[in-house]
Amino acid sequence: TASLSGGSLRVGGTVDLTPLIDPVLNLRLEMQQALIVRNDAMSMRADGVISLTGTAAKADVAGRLELVRGRVFKEIEFLPLSLPDQLPPPPPMVRAMTTPSLPPPFALWNLNVDIVTRDPIRLLGNVLNGGATADFHLSGTGAAPVLEGKLSQQGAHIQLPFSRLELSRGDVIYTKENPFAPQLDLQGESVVGNYQVTVYATGAAAKPTLRFTSSPPLSEPEIASLLATGTTVGDAQSAGGVAANRVAFLVLSKAYRRLFNKAVPTRRTEEPGRASFSLNPLGSGSSLGSLSGTFEITPNWQAEIGLGERGFRGMISYLVRFR
């Protein structure tokens, strides 16, 4: 028995060295809250039982691992943002993970391990928050392992500067045909002003395809601008470059954080508030800056306040959505 960073490992069984060149193995590994990974971006522990039977040259590895107390800390830079009449830049290319393999004598070992989450992995960051559950099966051999299953979101949301996307569907799928090249199947909804926005991300995780729809209908560039800046080209409030000013303000904020080594504030609450605020410090044209806020009373009723050069304005709105 051994202790490992607050967890425990216990190994039992026998090793027959009579055939010295190819010993016979009959081992059992039990773990409890064992730390399997910890770095700046992730912390993960596991409970489980793994058996190893056979010989050193060819053995069977079978069992079940249950991931517990999983935490993922990820700071995502959402800049650069798109301006009106522009689609957002394509996601950066992610180098496809090469298929892992084990050297001899592990290359001929047969794998049969279930990997699941006992409790949801918590996603904690400045943009993506919520939970995720895993259900995987590791098979194949040490030389050619095969990972099948999927990672599914649970109550996750993406918080952008002027909008919030609730993920109604979010799966990262691993298939037998491409065990280490996952596919995305994500869908998120957001209410920004009077618009109901839906975002889809599908295809290979290394190069996903993004699609935007809205009700009332807008073009994809306008939807991207709406999510990024809270305004559209046709919005009366966007006249004079308000959307561009908001992007400029975010760029200045990012430069300030880099210059003074200030971290992006994280959002780690289980259920963020329904209030949102928008600051336009640069103004537009000859007008001065303004501050506005929205509080979602119900999905249909919302209160709005505004403070600018013309004074204070308050309004309660009822939203009728056509799907």
Side-chain angles (χ1 to χ4, degrees), residues 234-312:
D235 195 334
Q237 293 182 351
S238 67
V242 172
N245 287 342
R246 289 182 173 183
V247 173
F249 177 66
L250 291 174
V251 173
L252 292 175
S253 299
K254 179 181 178 181
Y256 166 79
R257 291 194 302 270
R258 286 186 172 180
L259 181 62
F260 296 99
N261 196 26
K262 298 290 186 179
V264 178
T266 57
R267 299 178 175 90
R268 297 181 179 174
T269 56
E270 295 294 339
E271 183 59 36
R274 293 172 292 178
S276 61
F277 296 91
S278 172
L279 175 64
N280 178 28
L282 304 181
S284 58
S286 60
S287 64
L288 301 177
S290 62
L291 172 68
S292 61
T294 302
F295 181 79
E296 182 182 326
I297 303 173
T298 70
N300 294 98
W301 287 96
Q302 68 180 22
E304 300 179 8
I305 60 171
L307 180 63
E309 59 178 322
R310 297 183 179 179
F312 175 84

Side-chain angles (χ1 to χ4, degrees), residues 73-156:
F73 310 92
K74 183 63 176 178
E75 301 295 333
I76 301 175
E77 289 287 359
F78 43 78
L79 293 174
L81 298 172
S82 60
L83 292 176
D85 292 328
Q86 294 179 348
L87 280 173
M93 282 294 297
V94 178
R95 181 173 297 177
M97 180 186 300
T98 57
T99 302
S101 61
L102 298 176
F106 314 110
L108 296 180
W109 287 12
N110 296 312
L111 306 176
N112 183 18
V113 180
D114 292 321
I115 305 173
V116 299
T117 47
R118 176 181 295 179
D119 55 315
I121 300 169
R122 293 190 62 190
L123 308 175
L124 306 171
N126 64 322
V127 174
L128 178 62
N129 287 263
T133 58
D135 187 359
F136 294 110
H137 182 71
L138 181 64
S139 60
T141 64
V146 176
L147 184 66
E148 299 176 82
K150 66 179 180 179
L151 183 71
S152 302
Q153 69 84 22
Q154 188 176 79

Side-chain angles (χ1 to χ4, degrees), residues 82-88 195-199 210-228 231-235:
S82 60
L83 292 176
D85 292 328
Q86 294 179 348
L87 280 173
Y195 295 93
Q196 177 81 35
V197 175
T198 304
V199 179
L210 299 179
R211 290 291 180 263
F212 302 83
T213 63
S214 69
S215 177
L218 293 171
S219 66
E220 287 194 316
E222 286 185 308
I223 298 173
S225 173
L226 183 67
L227 291 172
T231 61
T232 65
V233 179
D235 195 334

